[in-house]
Each structure stands twice: as structure tokens, then as C-alpha cells.
């Protein structure tokens, strides 16, 4: 199997196994799904941290309004009475005015924290440094861990407008957010090898040759971003070694 070291910019985001006989279309589609899956898990975990602190999200029309403003406009969060965490809650008001302040018990917070820790570990970008590959199944299992943790704490489900629930059902709207700039739109996705775009309708062997036991660097980007920077011909460790050797020789010449 060919081992792809997949980068976004200069950062290695994961390792991926494929074959030189595989179609470029198939590989690119899966690389983008894995990358976007990593981002989804990051987003969900960030929101679950807020859920554990401040409860479920208030309806969209109430976000950003304080209690006085909500009373003045006669707005009420009817979901706050329906979506009560297991074991009850304590009040911990959300300074961002996004969530209802019904903080789950400490035991339920630990359930959420455990799910986040395990899910993050399954898709961590540092796995690449340990030569561990990322697969669609791993991303799916990580999301299922998060979904399971939330379900334990909120067996009646979260409100339909809660960002976490929308992420789980793939109905999230990232328009206007920083996250929207990070996600790669599948229809605009591209990947590159050795400074050349790997075109659709080809085989991986058209770019990598027929050696099915090799490791190469490919870079993900999307239409409009331009070609990614080429990989350095000399690796950083080798460059440092060469500089040290040159310095040593220079010092010897002074003697």
C-alpha cells in the first residue's frame, strides 16, 4: 500500500493508506472527508465544552439578549424545560448569552469530558508522528462517541437549534464563521504531489509510479487558493546537520 502524508499548508494532518491502482477521484473524495471530519470533531468538542458549562443553546432569536431584554420582548426558551440533563442541573449563566445556564451535574460533566478526550485522541493530528493512519471508520467512531456521551446526559436529545445536534445531523450552517474558511468544499477540492495537481479521471500510478510500497507527501487545497508551496528538497534535520558540519569545517580552517 502507498502511504500518503497528507498536508494542509505546511502541517501534516494525517497519514492515509491507498493503492497506486486507486482512482484519484476516490482518493481525493476520501481525503477531504477525513479532513473535514477532523474539523467537525473539533467544532463539536468546542461546543460540548460549552454545553458542560452552560447547558443547551437558547433559540436563535434569544442569542445575545440578556434576561431583561428577553422579558421585554416576551421571549421564552421552551426547550429549557424539555431538555433537562440527567441528574438535574445547577445555574451557571453563560457570559456569551448563547446557552441557557443549566449546567449538568459534575458526574454528567465527566461523561462529556470522557467522550471528548477519547474522540479527540482517535483523530489527533499527532497520530501521524506515530506512523498511525486515519480511516473513515475512525472518524465515524469518534463522532459516535461524542453522540453517545451527549445522549447519556441528554436522553431526550438537544433542542433542534442546538449547534451540536445540527453537527450530528449534518445540518450545521457555518456561513460567516471562521470554521467556514477551514472546511474544504468537496466540489472545489484539489490535491497536489511534487508541485503538480493530481487531476481527476486518472490513477494514482499516473503520478506516483507503480511502486505500491512507498511514502509520499500530498497537499490538500481548494480551487482559488493557488498551488501550495513545494516541499523542501532538504529536510530540516539534514539541513541542520549540513549547517553544523559547515560550521565545524569553518572553525577548523581558522586553526
Amino acid at each position: 500500500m502507498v502511504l500518503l502524508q497528507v498536508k494542509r499548508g505546511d502541517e501534516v494532518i494525517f497519514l492515509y493508506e491507498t493503492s497506486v491502482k486507486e482512482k484519484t477521484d476516490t482518493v481525493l473524495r476520501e481525503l477531504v472527508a477525513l479532513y473535514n471530519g477532523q474539523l467537525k470533531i473539533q467544532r463539536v468538542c468546542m461546543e460540548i465544552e460549552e454545553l458542560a458549562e452552560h447547558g443547551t443553546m437558547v433559540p436563535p432569536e434569544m442569542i445575545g439578549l440578556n434576561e431583561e431584554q428577553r422579558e421585554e420582548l416576551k421571549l421564552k426558551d421552551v426547550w429549557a424545560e424539555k431538555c433537562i440533563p440527567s441528574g438535574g442541573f445547577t445555574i451557571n449563566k453563560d457570559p456569551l448569552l448563547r446557552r441557557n445556564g443549566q449546567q449538568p451535574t459534575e458526574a454528567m460533566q465527566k461523561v462529556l469530558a470522557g467522550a471528548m478526550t477519547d474522540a479527540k485522541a482517535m483523530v489527533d493530528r499527532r497520530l501521524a508522528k506515530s506512523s498511525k493512519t486515519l480511516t473513515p471508520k475512525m472518524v465515524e467512531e469518534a463522532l459516535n462517541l461524542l453522540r453517545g456521551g451527549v445522549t447519556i446526559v441528554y436522553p431526550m436529545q438537544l433542542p433542534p437549534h442546538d449547534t451540536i445536534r445540527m453537527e450530528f445531523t449534518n445540518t450545521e450552517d457555518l456561513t460567516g464563521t471562521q470554521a467556514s474558511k477551514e472546511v474544504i468544499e468537496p466540489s472545489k477540492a484539489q490535491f497536489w504531489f511534487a508541485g503538480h495537481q493530481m487531476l481527476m479521471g486518472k490513477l494514482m500510478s499516473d503520478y506516483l509510479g507503480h511502486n505500491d510500497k512507498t511514502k509520499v507527501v500530498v497537499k490538500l487545497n481548494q480551487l482559488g487558493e493557488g498551488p501550495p508551496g513545494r516541499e523542501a528538497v532538504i529536510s530540516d534535520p539534514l539541513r541542520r546537520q549540513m549547517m553544523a558540519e559547515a560550521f565545524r569545517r569553518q572553525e577548523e580552517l581558522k586553526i
Side-chain angles (χ1 to χ4, degrees):
M1 298 295 284
V2 174
L3 187 63
L4 303 184
Q5 187 182 64
V6 185
K7 288 189 171 186
R8 176 75 162 129
D10 294 324
E11 182 184 6
V12 178
I13 49 179
F14 55 83
L15 299 181
Y16 173 82
E17 272 190 343
T18 187
S19 166
V20 292
K21 298 177 182 179
E22 192 60 83
K23 294 180 179 179
T24 52
D25 309 58
T26 302
V27 174
L28 178 58
R29 182 170 60 252
E30 196 147 287
L31 295 184
V32 171
L34 290 173
Y35 171 69
N36 287 342
Q38 283 182 322
L39 294 178
K40 176 183 280 288
I41 290 165
Q42 290 174 14
R43 294 194 305 271
V44 172
C45 285
M46 287 177 62
E47 288 293 343
I48 290 179
E49 288 176 3
E50 293 298 311
L51 178 72
E53 286 290 317
H54 306 294
T56 61
M57 286 188 73
V58 297
E61 65 272 15
M62 295 176 64
I63 291 177
L65 301 179
N66 59 35
E67 289 182 13
E68 291 181 358
Q69 291 170 322
R70 292 172 183 176
E71 288 178 7
E72 185 178 340
L73 295 172
K74 297 181 179 179
L75 297 175
K76 184 180 180 181
D77 182 7
V78 296
W79 293 96
E81 299 174 1
K82 300 177 182 179
C83 302
I84 296 175
S86 296
F89 62 87
T90 54
I91 296 298
N92 183 19
K93 292 184 179 181
D94 181 6
L96 299 178
L97 304 175
R98 295 175 67 241
R99 295 185 172 273
N100 65 15
Q102 296 180 352
Q103 183 180 33
T105 63
E106 186 174 346
M108 292 298 101
Q109 290 176 47
K110 289 181 179 179
V111 170
L112 295 175
M116 285 189 287
T117 298
D118 293 343
K120 288 177 181 177
M122 292 185 72
V123 298
D124 198 311
R125 294 182 179 184
R126 289 174 294 185
L127 290 174
K129 294 181 180 179
S130 304
S131 299
K132 295 180 180 178
T133 59
L134 186 65
T135 67
K137 184 178 180 180
M138 292 165 68
V139 172
E140 182 181 355
E141 288 180 358
L143 283 170
N144 284 339
L145 280 174
L146 295 174
R147 190 180 287 109
V150 171
T151 301
I152 289 173
V153 181
Y154 291 91
M156 75 301 295
Q157 291 194 328
L158 299 175
H161 54 265
D162 196 295
T163 301
I164 298 169
R165 180 168 171 178
M166 290 193 287
E167 287 278 8
F168 286 152
T169 56
N170 296 317
T171 57
E172 70 275 14
D173 182 6
L174 303 179
T175 305
T177 66
Q178 179 60 36
S180 67
K181 300 176 182 178
E182 299 172 342
V183 170
I184 292 180
E185 199 173 317
S187 62
K188 297 181 180 178
Q190 300 175 333
F191 67 152
W192 303 67
F193 168 67
H196 298 282
Q197 184 182 348
M198 303 175 77
L199 302 176
M200 299 301 93
K202 301 279 188 178
L203 295 176
M204 295 297 289
S205 60
D206 292 332
Y207 298 94
L208 308 181
H210 296 280
N211 183 0
D212 219 356
K213 294 182 179 180
T214 187
K215 179 179 179 180
V216 299
V217 175
V218 297
K219 293 194 172 185
L220 276 178
N221 75 351
Q222 60 183 343
L223 190 66
E225 292 182 347
R230 280 178 172 269
E231 285 295 290
V233 177
I234 302 175
S235 66
D236 283 343
L238 180 57
R239 177 177 57 80
R240 288 193 291 268
Q241 181 182 339
M242 292 172 65
M243 290 174 65
E245 183 67 19
F247 178 77
R248 185 182 64 78
R249 290 179 181 177
Q250 187 179 47
E251 292 300 301
E252 288 176 349
L253 292 173
K254 291 180 182 180
I255 300 174

